Amino acid sequence: MLRRRDRHPVRRRPALPTGLLGRLALGALRALNHVVAERDTLAVLVGIPDVEDGMIAVADELLARGREVVLLTAGTRVPEGFHDPRVRTIPRRDPRAVWAYLRARDVFTTHGVYGERGGPTRQRLTYVWHGESTGKRIDRYLGGPAKPSSTAPVLSSVGQAFRCAEFGLAPRSVPVVGAPRNDRMLRAPRGPHPLFIERAPARCRLLWMPTYRAGAVGHRRRTDSTRGQAGLPFDRDELAELDRRLAALDVAVHVKLHPFAADAFDLRTSALVPLTDADLWAAGLTTYTALPRFDGLVTDVSSVWIDHLLLDRPVVVAFPDVEEYRATRGFALEPFEDWMPAPVARTVDDLVDEIAAVAAGDDPHAARRRARRALLHAHDDDRSAARLLDVLGAGAARPA
């Protein structure tokens, strides 16, 4: 029996004070950002989490072009071995981090920097987002503000249309260059990793990455679904039944727990194997270098399935709360089910049937999956970070 071992997640403080003091600090920061001169050689990265595949790929490409790179971190201790030693790390609340941000010619981020939605026009702010925009509704669809004076790369012309609407950007600010995080996925070794074999020997192993079903827009909290347990869209009894049936199939499903839900996983399971960021980092892995180590992916509306199409491996869609999700957060593309690379499994029986087919070596939805790949990816190589920097003019291009 396996249980989650790490019950002491790092507590992160907000980058700036909240409330009135925070608003005053943000106003001062914006004013300074318009008068402090930028250094053309300096680039600042801000990712969530601190070890984030897109940021790592961008940092590597920047360094190869002779740029100085500073990573602003949420935690005081950042796992070593993922960023090049030349990347300087500074906690975001440190005054040196604010100074680096103000002086950076280029700022790359996943979710924002000190609440900023765009700095002066001479400072290039690039949103290397966590995923393509063709699934769940985000940003302006949920009442959030636009992101002026910024760039947001995407995978395809379909993604470009939606990102323009979601972020309030013109098409010229949404280049179709691919996602830097996919560079790491495509360069990573394939085949089982000792971490996963040791935790649950099995003839077939899948990675389950459910989307997180809550969030916030500004100070307004949002709940996308009330169903499920520890971030998984099935209740405890259903998960116990699923675990029993997966064990009978000799299948291990490693459940990548969202950091906000990981501490709630207290199920005693054998085939459903909890997996945290800390587990991956301790083994020298990240989410995107782990993906090629599995026989397939289980997910729902998480955009990871679009990236995973580049591996050309089975995708199982586990989404029992699809109707509630549709009624609360909603989908960018409808009918949602028609856009997915496989049928939507709404029950444990449906999910087991789909996983059993993968375990047997079948790939019944290969043609459908490849059609989605052709539509949702303009590039299928590992040069997305390079294309992004070329578009930005961020340093001399290096040979392919």
Side-chain angles (χ1 to χ4, degrees), residues 231-277:
L232 298 172
F234 293 93
D235 62 31
R236 295 180 70 91
D237 290 341
E238 290 172 322
L239 290 172
E241 172 67 10
L242 177 60
D243 182 67
R244 182 186 65 79
R245 295 175 66 177
L246 291 175
L249 290 171
D250 194 20
V251 172
V253 175
H254 296 253
V255 183
K256 175 60 174 62
L257 298 169
H258 191 281
F260 294 160
D263 206 45
F265 193 97
D266 61 354
L267 305 172
R268 293 183 176 272
T269 55
S270 58
L272 289 173
V273 187
L275 185 66
T276 67
D277 282 331

Side-chain angles (χ1 to χ4, degrees), residues 328-349:
T328 52
R329 183 163 184 172
F331 301 113
L333 288 172
E334 289 281 20
F336 169 79
E337 293 85 348
D338 291 351
W339 283 87
M340 297 304 286
V344 173
R346 299 169 184 253
T347 67
V348 170
D349 287 341

Side-chain angles (χ1 to χ4, degrees), residues 383-397:
R383 300 285 297 166
S384 295
R387 277 188 294 271
L388 173 59
L389 297 194
D390 288 346
V391 166
L392 295 173

Side-chain angles (χ1 to χ4, degrees), residues 79-126:
E80 297 180 355
F82 295 97
H83 275 284
D84 187 291
R86 290 172 291 175
V87 174
R88 188 158 57 102
T89 61
I90 309 174
R92 291 175 208 171
R93 291 174 66 98
D94 190 309
R96 295 174 301 161
V98 177
W99 183 240
Y101 163 66
L102 292 173
R103 300 197 68 198
R105 178 68 175 90
D106 284 286
V107 178
F108 298 87
T109 181
T110 56
H111 290 76
V113 190
Y114 301 126
E116 273 286 4
R117 294 288 175 174
T121 54
R122 63 181 181 270
Q123 184 182 66
R124 294 184 295 227
L125 177 61
T126 301

Side-chain angles (χ1 to χ4, degrees), residues 54-77:
M55 294 293 104
I56 296 172
V58 169
D60 288 345
E61 187 65 27
L62 285 166
L63 290 169
R65 298 178 182 219
R67 299 291 294 277
E68 178 186 353
V69 180
V70 176
L71 175 69
L72 308 188
T73 65
T76 55
R77 295 179 59 189

Side-chain angles (χ1 to χ4, degrees), residues 363-382:
D363 195 357
H365 313 302
R368 177 172 172 174
R369 186 178 68 245
R370 289 163 187 161
R372 303 299 180 274
R373 171 175 167 164
L375 180 65
L376 299 175
H377 284 278
H379 305 280
D380 60 4
D381 59 12
D382 62 355

